[in-house]
Amino acid sequence: MKVEQTALEGCFIIHDTVFPDSRGYFFESFNQQKFADLTGHTIPFVQDNQSHSSRGVLRGLHFQKGDAAQSKLVRVLKGKVLDVAVDLRPGSATFGKHVAVELSEDSHTQLFVPRGFAHGFAVLSAEATFFYKCDNFYNKPAEGGIIYNDASININWQLAQDEILLSDKDLLLPTLKEYSASMANA
Ligand SMILES: Cc1cn([C@H]2C[C@H](O)[C@@H](COP(=O)(O)OP(=O)(O)O[C@H]3O[C@H](C)C(=O)[C@H](O)[C@H]3O)O2)c(=O)[nH]c1=O
């Protein structure tokens, strides 16, 4: 397992150590001690999630607010996605900035998304199975989000506009400016 820092402090890429042999391959997808030794974080993950989507599906940009905030360790079991994390930490020097990383079943890479970030992904392969660990439980009332095509974040999702399929909920998400204003008035 190797850790690659990104431009956003606390958000990093994990390169898994894979053991191929004549049968296929093996790798430890998560080891709390190795994760802590390499990242300095001991994360008490409490919930695993898995979703499956067809090409063009875009899930995000999502987060949970306040004490319900989640850090996530995300990876792809099947197919390929563009995975995106957006820094929404108040006062962060990289507030509103994002990282976009291709994750696939063959890359054996994972992305750690800290609390305070919005997260989303777009499916680039015919279909993709997405798996992630969360360090806080699902809390529907605390859910928040930012619209995927917010010009101030300017994410290139690597899909043609007419390919992108969003949930009705995600189509109605606010821009970062609208969200920030709503929080300021809260
Ligand atoms: C997230 C979640 C959802 N659900 C239920 C609620 C809905 O009935 C159904 C689908 O939920 P949703 O449309 O919010 O699923 P996604 O659009 O994949 O949401 C996720 O998308 C991006 C990529 C994220 O990072 C978040 O973890 C999460 O928001 O699963 C649960 O029961 N537990 C959960 O933890």
Side-chain angles (χ1 to χ4, degrees):
M1 171 184 167
K2 289 185 174 58
V3 173
E4 176 187 347
Q5 300 300 328
T6 70
L8 306 181
E9 189 272 330
C11 180
F12 43 80
I13 300 165
I14 288 175
H15 297 271
D16 295 310
T17 301
V18 182
F19 299 97
D21 65 24
S22 57
R23 299 166 298 171
Y25 68 78
F26 174 93
F27 71 97
E28 293 180 358
S29 52
F30 178 70
N31 179 310
Q32 189 178 65
Q33 188 58 60
K34 291 177 183 175
F35 188 91
D37 291 346
L38 284 171
T39 68
H41 299 287
T42 298
I43 308 284
F45 292 111
V46 296
Q47 180 176 319
D48 287 350
N49 293 338
Q50 182 166 318
S51 64
H52 185 82
S53 313
S54 303
R55 177 174 168 87
V57 166
L58 196 161
R59 296 177 184 254
L61 297 158
H62 301 156
F63 53 86
Q64 293 190 171
K65 300 171 190 172
D67 292 341
Q70 296 168 307
S71 69
K72 298 166 188 169
L73 181 59
V74 308
R75 64 190 171 102
V76 169
L77 303 181
K78 177 182 174 64
K80 181 167 71 172
V81 310
L82 185 77
D83 199 74
V84 174
V86 185
D87 187 355
L88 300 182
R89 296 170 297 193
S92 170
T94 52
F95 181 85
K97 303 297 184 192
H98 73 279
V99 292
V101 181
E102 276 193 14
L103 301 176
S104 71
E105 63 185 289
D106 298 326
S107 67
H108 299 302
T109 48
Q110 307 184 49
L111 183 67
F112 179 73
V113 181
R115 291 186 177 194
F117 279 61
H119 173 249
F121 66 87
V123 177
L124 304 178
S125 50
E127 56 183 334
T129 303
F130 194 81
F131 174 92
Y132 52 113
K133 306 181 79 69
C134 304
D135 74 339
N136 216 346
F137 293 110
Y138 177 54
N139 182 327
K140 190 173 182 60
E143 281 195 307
I146 303 296
I147 192 76
Y148 74 105
N149 60 357
D150 185 320
S152 72
I153 303 171
N154 194 28
I155 300 166
N156 174 4
W157 290 103
Q158 296 183 22
L159 289 167
Q161 184 59 48
D162 63 4
E163 284 192 282
I164 294 176
L165 175 62
L166 295 135
S167 65
D168 292 342
K169 176 184 75 167
D170 288 353
L171 280 169
L172 297 173
L173 291 173
T175 63
L176 178 55
K177 187 175 180 182
E178 290 164 342
Y179 170 71
S180 300
S182 68
M183 295 305 284
N185 296 330

